[in-house]
């Protein structure tokens, strides 16, 4: 690993070159060239805990396979995705449906119909179709998924015998939902809860997705349900439990490594990163997030301990 001071300098250079676009879509020679195998690889992190953990695990797995690595944090997808295309970043952990829709919007405009869906196979096909002309290779997804999720208090769940979102819809209870402003219109939020599950959403309390104020609002009874994520590690702290998305409303946001084909498209990189797919689960990610966010452990220490415990390094 290079020192953090060097990473900061690299980040500054990357931000200054923010509009770099890499190979043009017309230059098929670059797109179809043999996969590259650079021995020094830059792993991108989007700056939040989970992304940092994944970047650190990728780096350690690649080092085990004989590569030298550094982790570079660029918090804005509008910057790190072009850097991935141009080869300033070689590897990044992405989320299948979200990244597919992002690339689709980039290619076809903001009015483009979404291509991400709850169907993982269809989502991956769309993602690879969009990524390949940009010189990107999307590796296989593993077991871990970070989707929107919906939580209620354990007392509320027990009182109304709720385990799934279908149970909540069948109970015909009025639900005030703590969420982001966009939940009013997003098809996978309030409209989807109403259409797919028949849940009576009476109001949106705009406290954000999975924020502490949103969880407190549910804990104290001001709201009945909160939008969070499947890897939220703090639910127990607020006495909250997830209701299962049993009709698969949410998109297939499985964790997928994305690499710059010209620099990191080799079988060596693919095999090294694929080892994580055999063990990493959604619950594992939540547990590691908790160790960093609640226990104040360093992401690199948590990542290393996890890989060692699973005999991957």
């Amino acid at each position: 690993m290079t020192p953090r001071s060097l990473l900061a300098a690299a980040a500054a250079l990357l931000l200054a070159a923010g509009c770099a676009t890499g190979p043009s879509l017309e230059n098929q020679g670059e797109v179809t060239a043999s996969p590259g195998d650079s021995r020094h690889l830059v792993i991108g992190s989007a700056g939040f805990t989970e992304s940092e953990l994944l970047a650190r695990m990728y780096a350690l797995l690649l080092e085990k396979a004989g590569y030298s690595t550094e982790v570079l944090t660029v918090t804005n997808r509008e910057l790190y995705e072009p850097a991935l295309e141009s080869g300033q970043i070689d590897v990044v952990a992405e989320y299948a449906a979200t990244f597919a829709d992002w690339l689709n919007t980039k290619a076809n405009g903001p009015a483009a119909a979404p291509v991400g869906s709850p169907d993982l196979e269809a989502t991956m096909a769309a993602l690879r179709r969009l990524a390949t002309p940009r010189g990107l290779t999307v590796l296989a997804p593993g077991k871990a998924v970070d989707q929107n999720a919906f939580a209620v208090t354990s007392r509320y769940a027990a009182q109304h015998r709720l385990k799934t979102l279908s149970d909540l819809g069948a109970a015909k209870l009025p639900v005030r939902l703590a969420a982001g402003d966009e939940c009013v219109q997003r098809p996978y939020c309030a409209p989807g809860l109403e259409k797919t599950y028949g849940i009576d959403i009476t109001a949106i309390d705009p406290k954000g997705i999975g924020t502490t104020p949103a969880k407190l609002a549910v804990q104290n009874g001001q709201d009945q349900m909160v939008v969070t994520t499947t890897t939220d590690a703090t639910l127990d702290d607020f006495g909250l439990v997830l209701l299962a998305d049993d009709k698969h409303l949410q998109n297939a946001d499985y964790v997928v490594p994305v690499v710059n084909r010209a620099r990191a498209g080799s079988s060596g990189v693919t095999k090294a990163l694929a080892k994580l797919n055999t063990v990493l689960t959604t619950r594992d990610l939540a547990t590691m997030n908790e160790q960093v966010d609640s226990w104040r452990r360093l992401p690199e220490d948590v990542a290393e301990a996890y890989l060692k415990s699973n005999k991957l390094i």
Side-chain angles (χ1 to χ4, degrees), residues 2-274:
T2 61
R4 285 185 180 274
S5 59
L6 292 180
L7 296 186
L13 289 173
L14 182 59
L15 293 174
C19 293
T21 56
S24 68
L25 301 191
E26 292 79 15
N27 193 341
Q28 293 300 307
E30 290 193 50
V31 171
T32 58
S34 298
D37 194 29
S38 173
R39 304 314 294 176
H40 178 77
L41 299 174
V42 178
I43 319 300
S45 165
F48 58 94
T49 296
E50 186 169 296
S51 182
E52 183 75 6
L53 284 164
L54 289 163
R56 295 291 174 179
M57 287 190 285
Y58 287 2
L60 289 165
L61 288 168
L62 288 167
E63 288 176 2
K64 172 72 172 179
Y67 297 87
S68 67
T69 70
E70 60 183 286
V71 174
L72 179 62
T73 299
V74 183
T75 59
N76 189 318
R77 186 179 274 120
E78 282 76 8
L79 290 177
Y80 75 67
E81 189 279 329
L84 185 62
E85 288 187 32
S86 68
Q88 291 171 292
I89 290 175
D90 302 307
V91 184
V92 70
E94 264 293 355
Y95 300 90
T98 295
F99 196 46
D101 283 336
W102 194 88
L103 289 180
N104 188 41
T105 298
K106 184 175 180 179
N108 301 309
V115 294
S117 75
D119 185 327
L120 177 59
E121 184 176 345
T123 295
M124 287 296 296
L127 174 54
R128 285 173 169 147
R129 186 169 62 249
L130 289 158
T132 298
R134 297 185 176 278
L136 306 179
T137 298
V138 182
L139 305 185
K143 305 171 186 176
V145 57
D146 190 348
Q147 299 167 306
N148 280 353
F150 302 88
V152 299
T153 65
S154 55
R155 171 189 278 183
Y156 185 84
Q159 179 183 356
H160 299 289
R161 299 182 180 180
L162 307 177
K163 292 186 177 180
T164 68
L165 290 170
S166 288
D167 292 339
L168 182 57
K172 303 300 180 185
L173 297 165
V175 174
R176 181 176 162 93
L177 181 64
D181 292 331
E182 69 279 3
C183 185
V184 175
Q185 296 181 325
R186 284 195 64 212
Y188 305 110
C189 201
L193 291 172
E194 292 170 340
K195 181 178 179 180
T196 301
Y197 289 106
I199 297 172
D200 180 16
I201 304 296
T202 59
I204 301 296
D205 186 2
K207 286 185 164 60
I209 296 177
T211 64
T212 295
K215 293 171 190 172
L216 286 171
V218 176
Q219 185 184 50
N220 65 29
Q222 178 183 339
D223 300 329
Q224 286 72 52
M225 187 161 68
V226 60
V227 181
T228 183
T229 66
T230 51
T231 59
D232 189 330
T234 66
L235 295 179
D236 286 347
D237 297 341
F238 297 90
L240 303 178
V241 294
L242 294 180
L243 296 182
D245 179 20
D246 54 308
K247 293 185 179 179
H248 306 292
L249 172 65
Q250 298 306 307
N251 277 346
D253 262 329
Y254 284 76
V255 175
V256 290
V258 183
V259 303
N260 177 289
R261 175 183 170 87
R263 287 183 49 81
S266 69
S267 60
V269 171
T270 300
K271 289 177 181 177
L273 297 181

